[in-house]
Amino acid sequence: MQPILSVENLKVIFNTYAGTVQAVNDVSFTLHEGETIGIVGESGCGKSVTSSAIMGLIPSPPGRIASGRILFEGRDLVTMDEKSLQKIRGNQISMIFQDPMTSLNPVLTVGLQLAESFMLHQKLPKKKAMEKAVEMLKLVGIPAPETRIRQYPHQMSGGMRQRVMIAMALACNPQILIADEPTTALDVTVQAQIMELIKKLNTELSTAVILITHDLGVVAGMCSRVLVMYAGRVVESAPVNEFYANPQHPYSWGLLKSLPRPDMKSGTLESIAGQPPDLLAPPSGCAFMPRCRFAMEVCKQPPAPIKVTEDHMCRCWLLDKASPHTPVTLFKECETA
């Protein structure tokens, strides 16, 4: 089956006064109809920039897509003009942004902002578009939607605003939904409700989902595949069960060891020592080398992607057959240390 979305060797840079920031470097992945993939990693690793590139929302200047392709149903979004992108953006590919308070227009009612999608993409008259807006608010579980459509964003709670953002993203029944940390700044109860809503819509409408998050627990429950990003690159990608059972990259080990577990011997969570690299001047070799306890001399050279299995990829010199240890052995050593 052909993927609905294929990102190939994507590179995004930002030209600043301090120099060129290599925000995304050689990122590749595919997304199939009805599939949910998770993209995880620390802040600044390139997750949101990758999603913005797919949506055609990289601000230029200072940013630009330096190379690569983003194929949606065989069409390259990178080479499309703005008018063609507008027909796809919000219609066939939609996005839930991180902060609903700053993403919603504070001087327009939520009803008008919702109705805009129907008027723009489906050419509905305003009255009919407002009726559809009420239906969408009902779909995402907002009570009294007939009243809510006349309210402004500041009159709603954070959870309500996030549901409005989801309703806007789903208004035209998109084929792909990009959820960029959709539960940021929400309490735990509302987080669970939002994630359950996205999962339900994915199941019922067969919408493909790209979930960007810091929460590996959410990825385990929501996704079929996971991509781990570090310093603008995908350092590991695998089916979600394979990733949790057999992680291969030291950065992945660090992320997993920072999760609370019932069998923990102490109440202290482990953190990854050090800081992410400066993307104005990234390391010439493996970007994780300064923070890696298993760093070797060969790590001063950039590692190539290596297939662990047919659908499991990792960029790490520890996978080289000449290494004295196997990554699995080292991970077990880390767990028992």
Side-chain angles (χ1 to χ4, degrees):
M1 184 173 64
Q2 290 293 318
I4 190 173
L5 181 75
S6 180
V7 177
E8 301 176 358
N9 308 112
L10 180 66
K11 184 175 183 178
V12 182
I13 63 173
F14 289 86
N15 295 313
T16 70
Y17 291 113
T20 300
V21 177
Q22 300 178 35
V24 172
N25 192 358
D26 195 28
V27 166
S28 299
F29 64 90
T30 58
L31 178 70
H32 291 83
E33 182 179 350
E35 183 182 23
T36 299
I37 66 171
I39 304 180
V40 301
E42 292 170 285
S43 295
C45 70
K47 305 185 302 295
S48 295
V49 175
T50 299
S51 64
S52 295
I54 294 170
M55 293 293 293
L57 295 176
I58 298 294
S60 180
R64 66 182 178 89
I65 297 176
S67 61
R69 300 195 302 170
I70 303 172
L71 301 178
F72 172 65
E73 295 185 329
R75 296 170 290 173
D76 191 356
L77 301 181
V78 174
T79 58
M80 269 188 191
D81 58 69
E82 182 61 25
K83 188 175 181 180
S84 299
L85 273 174
Q86 285 179 354
K87 294 178 181 178
I88 295 175
R89 188 191 301 136
N91 185 25
Q92 294 170 283
I93 305 177
S94 291
M95 184 169 176
I96 304 170
F97 294 92
Q98 282 190 39
D99 188 351
M101 192 66 243
T102 57
S103 300
L104 292 170
N105 191 324
V107 300
L108 295 177
T109 63
V110 296
L112 282 174
Q113 294 183 65
L114 253 172
E116 184 181 20
S117 294
F118 298 113
M119 291 187 286
L120 177 64
H121 295 297
Q122 299 182 5
K123 309 301 180 186
L124 295 181
K126 184 177 178 180
K127 183 178 179 181
K128 185 66 176 176
M130 291 296 284
E131 291 173 1
K132 293 278 284 183
V134 171
E135 292 177 14
M136 291 306 301
L137 292 184
K138 284 181 181 176
L139 178 67
V140 297
I142 291 183
E146 295 84 358
T147 301
R148 295 291 185 181
I149 61 169
R150 296 191 293 272
Q151 292 184 336
Y152 292 88
H154 72 272
Q155 295 175 287
M156 294 183 166
S157 67
M160 287 283 192
R161 291 194 295 266
Q162 194 64 283
R163 288 173 185 266
V164 170
M165 287 294 301
I166 293 173
M168 291 175 67
L170 296 171
C172 296
N173 193 17
Q175 293 162 269
I176 298 174
L177 175 66
I178 302 173
D180 188 359
E181 298 185 34
T183 56
T184 298
L186 301 180
D187 62 63
V188 176
T189 304
V190 177
Q191 283 184 27
Q193 292 172 353
I194 295 296
M195 298 315 300
E196 188 60 35
L197 175 61
I198 293 174
K199 191 173 184 178
K200 179 182 177 183
L201 295 169
N202 167 250
T203 303
E204 294 182 358
L205 302 178
S206 295
T207 304
V209 179
I210 299 175
L211 177 63
I212 297 170
T213 181
H214 292 282
D215 193 334
L216 284 167
V218 168
V219 170
M222 290 278 298
C223 303
S224 57
R225 281 194 299 136
V226 58
L227 276 64
V228 180
M229 290 191 68
Y230 186 79
R233 287 183 180 270
V234 175
V235 295
E236 185 165 6
S237 65
V240 86
N241 291 336
E242 168 76 8
F243 174 74
Y244 285 90
N246 190 29
Q248 296 289 295
H249 198 282
Y251 181 59
S252 300
W253 304 341
L255 293 177
L256 291 169
K257 283 174 68 63
S258 69
L259 292 176
R261 300 194 312 272
D263 60 344
M264 287 178 62
K265 295 179 180 178
S266 68
T268 304
L269 294 176
E270 291 193 30
S271 61
I272 302 174
Q275 296 292 327
D278 182 2
L279 295 184
L280 281 167
S284 57
C286 175
F288 190 63
M289 179 184 174
R291 307 173 71 184
C292 181
R293 59 182 287 190
F294 306 110
M296 303 174 286
E297 187 67 24
V298 71
C299 297
K300 293 180 180 179
Q301 304 172 33
I306 297 174
K307 276 193 174 184
V308 181
T309 63
E310 186 59 35
D311 50 3
H312 187 170
M313 181 280 294
C314 180
R315 292 177 182 266
C316 184
W317 284 110
L318 287 172
L319 290 169
D320 189 279
K321 292 180 180 178
S323 297
H325 302 283
T326 65
V328 175
T329 302
L330 290 171
F331 185 50
K332 289 179 177 177
E333 287 175 5
C334 285
E335 287 186 315
T336 56

